[in-house]
Amino acid sequence: MSARDKKLELEGLTVSFDGFKALNNLTLSVDPGELLCIIGPNGAGKTTMMDVVTGKTRPDSGTARFGSGNNLLEMSEAEIVAAGVGRKFQKPTVFERLTVFENLELALAGTRSVLKTLRARISPEQDNRINEVLGTIGLSGRRFELGSTLAHGQKQWLEIGMLLMQDPELLLVDEPVAGMTPQEIERTSELLLSLAGEHSVVVVEHDMNFVRSIARRVIVLHEGRVIAEGDMDKVQGDPKVIEVYLGV
Amino acid sequence: METLWSPTKTGDRGGKWFLSVLALIAVAAPILNQAVPASSPAHLSAYGITLIGKYLCYGMLALAVDLIWGYCGILSLGHTAFFSLGGYAIGMYLMRQIGTRGVYGDPVLPDFMVFLNWKSLPWFWNGFNHFPFALLMMVVAPGLLALVFGWFAFRSRVTGVYFSIITQALTYALMLAFFRNDMGFGGNNGFTDFKDILGFDLHSDLTRVVLLITTVATLAATYLACRTIVESRAGRVLHAIRDAESRTRFLGYPVESFKVYVFVFSAVIAGIAGALYVPQIGIINPGEFAPINSIEVVIWVAVGGRGTLYGAIAGAVVVNYAKTYLTGAFPEVWLYAVGALFVLVTLFLPRGIIGLVQTRTKR
């Protein structure tokens, strides 16, 4: 596969904060429709990597390309979202005083300007789309309830649902199962697996069992660079990985 | 389909009540003043008409504050700046209507300019002899100030208490500026001694009744405009900004634009309220810009219940009625009373009077 066909292509990214290199010549790529898991100990640069991809942090050097020729380093946060990169943060932040339905409505792709949102109405297609996503994330029965009434796991799903409303080509998912019950974790892996294929999904996670249950390809980060890559068994057998992370 | 996805719209029962009360005022007040003879105990005096008009103007100012504070989390502690600018705009028109009936009888210059030995009208007084121009200015002046101020503040991501503090500074600075005679707005005396508006005598009962009806109609219209905004998707974006600003930005909404728009709209409502207030009260001076006034407005909104629109208006009326009574009966206790009220409402009635009523009437 040529570089052109990659969904996301990061090359030689370096980010330093006061001399500390959060990313150190990081190179990795994501294929279309792939579900990639990124693991690594605290401070390995996982969150910084996502910050660079979403435009929150600018690297000192390197390149970041998305899809067919979008240079992420020259785009604003809003432009990157519009281009099709969706990010789910570690801490679920759904809008607590809006209903589940309204949360998804605000996440609908398209209308963003003040005057347009003032007149915006939900079209039948959009209504269908919202209902479809409600089904995907398993919250159809709670559409009229306020975000604040949801359980922790449900908030995470709602937030994934909000990402889906924007029809992203690439989903960045930061620690989706932190704090979840085993049943919720199981549902979440089903959800993420069902999303791969149609979307490229990048999951950053600490929970090894969870990663094992969903990952085909795993990348291990340490001190801002990739130290191992491959399927879960290969990665877990890698002596460097055992040393920095899995040996614990 | 509308109704399918609008569980938060409870048919706006409170709003319907509020509009009914406004309609009742618009019908009853003129009858009680014009048709009921002055000897009857049911007669509503000109003083009463003006008092109701004043409360409703305050209500409109509270509505403006609730729109940005209750729905978008922007706590402005300087909203009387916009109110006063609207008041000054109409005041300039009223001053020029006085003409030769002033103490000095100058056909063009208002009395205070003659007194200051000015020979000609400052440039910014041009046009104010035309009523439509004054109408335009009562919207443009506060709107423009809010646009420039809001654009700089929101673009620099000044939020929360920092924003509140600079709004206080804004209104304080304007107060000091308007106190200066050189500004050309009458210094500490401001404008008063108005004679007529559009040729109608401001001291006649009928003019006062018409001004009250105009106030009622404008309040209803601005209320409905705010209601339309908060129930649109833009209103839900405002909610979202209030509760999780960076999340909203991350969804791709231009948060700063939303804030600037709603802030300017709110300032315009405040300006219109001020412009309705001045002809009824008969005076505008720099004291209106005093920072304490803006803080009182926030208290009205908190007492009424923020985030409901009509609650803010109710709060303004109730608190000001109490103020009228208390400053008459026990003038020295008012400031303590309003302070205590704010503390009590914050502690025990976080959703204000409306919240209390809603809890009581919930099925």
Side-chain angles (χ1 to χ4, degrees):
Chain A
M1 204 179 261
S2 76
R4 211 160 260 276
D5 300 323
K6 300 287 184 191
K7 187 47 72 184
L8 177 70
E9 183 103 67
L10 306 180
E11 226 176 286
L13 285 179
T14 300
V15 175
S16 15
F17 298 118
D18 293 329
F20 168 73
K21 284 195 171 165
L23 293 184
N24 188 359
N25 201 17
L26 174 77
T27 298
L28 65 84
S29 64
V30 183
D31 294 331
E34 183 189 25
L35 196 160
L36 170 71
C37 284
I38 298 182
I39 57 177
N42 285 331
K46 298 169 305 224
T47 302
T48 309
M49 186 274 292
M50 291 207 180
D51 285 347
V52 170
V53 173
T54 54
K56 200 175 163 197
T57 301
R58 299 295 180 193
D60 303 324
S61 60
T63 59
R65 300 196 169 276
F66 169 68
S68 50
N70 286 309
N71 182 354
L72 294 174
L73 303 185
E74 285 174 359
M75 297 160 75
S76 72
E77 289 176 75
E79 285 167 344
I80 292 174
V81 172
V85 177
R87 177 180 187 177
K88 200 203 79 64
F89 288 90
Q90 223 162 312
K91 201 173 137 248
T93 41
V94 302
F95 300 117
E96 305 246 320
R97 280 183 280 185
L98 294 176
T99 65
V100 170
F101 190 100
E102 287 170 336
N103 267 279
L104 293 177
E105 180 199 0
L106 285 192
L108 269 171
T111 322
R112 286 295 180 271
S113 82
V114 179
L115 296 178
K116 282 184 183 150
T117 52
L118 211 46
R119 293 187 305 260
R121 291 278 174 276
I122 292 183
S123 69
E125 299 84 58
Q126 290 175 325
D127 194 52
N128 289 341
R129 176 77 184 128
I130 294 179
N131 287 324
E132 191 188 323
V133 169
L134 278 170
T136 309
I137 60 175
L139 292 176
S140 297
R142 311 206 55 170
R143 69 181 69 192
F144 294 145
E145 287 174 42
L146 293 181
S148 56
T149 65
L150 297 182
H152 174 74
Q154 294 172 320
K155 283 185 187 170
Q156 298 276 23
W157 300 332
L158 175 55
E159 193 162 342
I160 292 173
M162 289 168 75
L163 283 182
L164 294 178
M165 295 311 300
Q166 297 173 71
D167 295 316
E169 295 171 35
L170 174 67
L171 277 164
L172 303 174
V173 188
D174 203 354
E175 299 203 16
V177 299
M180 280 192 178
T181 64
Q183 291 87 339
E184 286 176 334
I185 291 178
E186 197 175 317
R187 283 245 33 203
T188 306
S189 43
E190 284 168 21
L191 175 57
L192 291 175
L193 283 170
S194 74
L195 296 178
E198 202 173 323
H199 314 265
S200 298
V201 183
V202 175
V203 179
V204 165
E205 188 49 72
H206 280 300
D207 187 319
M208 281 305 144
N209 291 326
F210 176 70
V211 171
R212 175 172 282 283
S213 71
I214 61 169
R216 282 154 222 166
R217 189 160 74 102
V218 178
I219 283 181
V220 184
L221 289 191
H222 180 56
E223 292 176 347
R225 57 168 56 181
V226 176
I227 60 163
E229 182 175 346
D231 64 25
M232 194 65 185
D233 290 327
K234 183 184 164 202
V235 160
Q236 270 186 315
D238 190 310
K240 270 188 292 181
V241 176
I242 293 171
E243 188 192 326
V244 302
Y245 190 44
L246 298 172
V248 181
Chain B
M1 195 164 64
E2 285 287 275
T3 50
L4 258 183
W5 55 270
S6 53
T8 47
K9 279 186 221 165
T10 48
D12 188 25
R13 218 157 24 142
K16 281 177 190 148
W17 265 101
F18 162 68
L19 290 174
S20 313
V21 171
L22 277 190
L24 183 69
I25 293 173
V27 174
I31 294 174
L32 292 180
N33 176 260
Q34 294 289 308
V36 176
S39 53
S40 156
H43 175 77
L44 184 63
S45 66
Y47 172 74
I49 291 279
T50 304
L51 205 56
I52 297 171
K54 178 172 119 172
Y55 291 159
L56 295 182
C57 290
Y58 286 152
M60 205 183 303
L61 177 56
L63 174 73
V65 169
D66 192 29
L67 179 67
I68 54 168
W69 186 36
Y71 289 87
C72 196
I74 302 169
L75 176 55
S76 166
L77 291 179
H79 244 52
T80 46
F82 307 118
F83 182 84
S84 307
L85 285 179
Y88 267 96
I90 198 82
M92 287 163 86
Y93 163 78
L94 296 174
M95 287 305 271
R96 296 206 54 182
Q97 291 307 103
I98 297 173
T100 55
R101 289 168 293 176
V103 177
Y104 297 107
D106 190 296
V108 177
L109 297 185
D111 278 347
F112 75 90
M113 293 186 192
V114 181
F115 184 76
L116 291 171
N117 252 329
W118 291 8
K119 297 297 171 224
S120 63
L121 215 52
W123 62 269
F124 49 84
W125 276 76
N126 287 322
F128 277 98
N129 47 332
H130 302 293
F131 187 68
F133 183 78
L135 281 188
L136 186 67
M137 282 302 124
M138 79 191 197
V139 170
V140 169
L144 199 62
L145 176 67
L147 179 66
V148 172
F149 182 83
W151 193 78
F152 279 110
F154 298 133
R155 208 182 55 116
S156 315
R157 302 206 178 163
V158 176
T159 54
V161 67
Y162 302 101
F163 182 82
S164 305
I165 290 168
I166 59 170
T167 55
Q168 279 266 284
L170 170 77
T171 195
Y172 189 65
L174 282 171
M175 179 179 78
L176 296 182
F178 274 73
F179 263 126
R180 297 174 61 243
N181 283 329
D182 308 350
M183 274 288 280
F185 295 102
N188 63 340
N189 294 317
F191 305 149
T192 188
D193 205 17
F194 308 133
K195 305 293 185 208
D196 47 32
I197 184 166
L198 290 169
F200 299 102
D201 181 9
L202 274 170
H203 303 288
S204 86
D205 279 17
L206 191 58
T207 311
R208 282 164 184 261
V209 165
V210 172
L211 281 172
L212 174 64
I213 293 174
T214 311
T215 307
V216 168
T218 315
L219 180 56
T222 47
Y223 169 79
L224 288 172
C226 291
R227 175 65 50 200
T228 307
I229 290 174
V230 301
E231 283 184 355
S232 71
R233 188 180 299 170
R236 290 188 280 284
V237 176
L238 295 180
H239 263 106
I241 292 172
R242 181 191 63 190
D243 290 347
E245 181 171 325
S246 54
R247 183 75 180 86
T248 315
R249 189 173 288 120
F250 197 73
L251 275 180
Y253 289 98
V255 168
E256 285 69 34
S257 306
F258 274 89
K259 285 186 169 181
V260 169
Y261 266 89
V262 75
F263 190 64
V264 169
F265 188 73
S266 167
V268 166
I269 294 178
I272 296 172
L276 286 163
Y277 174 84
V278 167
Q280 299 185 76
I281 299 305
I283 184 167
I284 173 83
N285 64 40
E288 293 292 337
F289 284 106
I292 183 76
N293 291 352
S294 291
I295 294 175
E296 272 193 36
V297 182
V298 169
I299 295 177
W300 307 339
V301 177
V303 168
R306 69 182 175 127
T308 59
L309 299 180
Y310 53 84
I313 300 166
V317 172
V318 169
V319 175
N320 279 293
Y321 180 75
K323 182 178 185 174
T324 306
Y325 172 75
L326 277 178
T327 48
F330 320 95
E332 60 286 339
V333 303
W334 169 246
L335 274 180
Y336 296 102
V338 78
L341 188 65
F342 190 50
V343 172
L344 291 176
V345 165
T346 312
L347 284 179
F348 301 111
L349 286 177
R351 289 171 57 231
I353 300 170
I354 297 300
L356 189 70
V357 174
Q358 279 174 348
T359 322
R360 284 282 160 83
T361 56
K362 212 164 211 169
R363 287 156 297 171

